[in-house]
Amino acid sequence: AVNIGTATRNSICDDATTGSITFRGGSNNANFYGIAVAGSGTVDCRNNTIGSVTTTSSVSLATHITGILSTNTGTITISNNIIGSETIANSLNASSVSGTTGVQLVYGINNTGAGTLTISSNTIANLTNGTTNSSVVRLNAINGIRSNAGTVTVTDNIIHDLLISSANTSTTVVSACGLALSGVSLPKTVTGNLIYNISNNFSGYDG
């Protein structure tokens, strides 16, 4: 088994400031991951703090932020983590406007692995996608929790203050969403989550 933060909390920066880490993407679709979990074993990821991160790039390009990424196909628990900040705006901030060629994505937790996943009692708050892209076909997005694979249980998470300004009106890649689950594997169990202040501020947005 792999234990991440179970004995001693990992702090990838903090939840009390902004911009303590600045990551500049040198090409389109560069990625910043606070924690990335791969493989096929048992993973317990809990009690970690990921915050005060700003990504930048050329105005035309996208640089993505994911607090915790899981591509694992085993048994994964992601619990009691703070991603962003409960009180400080723009704690995780993908600041590029990704104006012409970029499709910029911000995820608190993102699962793409076909394992058995439990996501519980995490706080995901004050995340910002700085895109101002005015094209409806540029599927810029911000999601608190996203999973497109595996068997998933999502319980007792708090997700709030996610902000984007995008013309994206897709119903499959939703521009602003607290909790987005897809994929054919069942069951997917969702209970007891608190989600509020999820905003797309694009002028004339009709999503």
Side-chain angles (χ1 to χ4, degrees):
V2 175
N3 298 308
I4 304 171
T6 55
T8 303
R9 173 188 296 271
N10 296 293
S11 295
I12 294 91
C13 258
D14 62 74
D15 61 347
T17 63
T18 59
S20 295
I21 293 176
T22 299
F23 175 87
R24 180 172 177 82
S27 60
N28 198 29
N29 295 317
N31 285 282
F32 178 93
Y33 303 122
I35 295 172
V37 177
S40 59
T42 299
V43 177
D44 193 355
C45 176
R46 66 179 69 225
N47 305 324
N48 303 288
T49 300
I50 303 165
S52 194
V53 177
T54 298
T55 60
T56 68
S57 64
S58 163
V59 295
S60 65
L61 305 180
T63 301
H64 316 302
I65 297 179
T66 301
I68 298 175
L69 170 70
S70 176
T71 61
N72 190 290
T73 57
T75 300
I76 313 99
T77 300
I78 300 173
S79 182
N80 288 302
N81 301 285
I82 298 173
I83 300 171
S85 169
E86 293 185 74
T87 58
I88 305 299
N90 305 316
S91 179
L92 294 187
N93 182 14
S95 68
S96 172
V97 298
S98 57
T100 55
T101 60
V103 174
Q104 189 159 269
L105 304 170
V106 176
Y107 300 129
I109 296 171
N110 184 23
N111 172 61
T112 62
T116 300
L117 178 68
T118 299
I119 302 173
S120 66
S121 301
N122 301 283
T123 297
I124 301 168
N126 285 295
L127 278 54
T128 300
N129 187 334
T131 183
T132 57
N133 197 298
S134 59
S135 170
V136 296
V137 300
R138 298 289 181 188
L139 303 183
N140 299 279
I142 186 166
N143 294 171
I145 295 172
R146 173 184 182 266
S147 177
N148 67 359
T151 299
V152 184
T153 301
V154 184
T155 61
D156 299 323
N157 300 281
I158 299 172
I159 302 169
H160 63 89
D161 291 291
L162 310 184
L163 177 63
I164 191 172
S165 181
S166 170
N168 168 22
T169 58
S170 170
T171 57
T172 54
V173 181
V174 179
S175 63
C177 186
L179 175 56
L181 302 182
S182 60
V184 298
S185 297
L186 297 174
K188 300 186 191 301
T189 304
V190 179
T191 59
N193 301 284
L194 176 63
I195 301 171
Y196 60 97
N197 288 355
I198 313 300
S199 302
N200 184 340
N201 289 346
F202 187 82
S203 177
Y205 173 72
D206 186 21

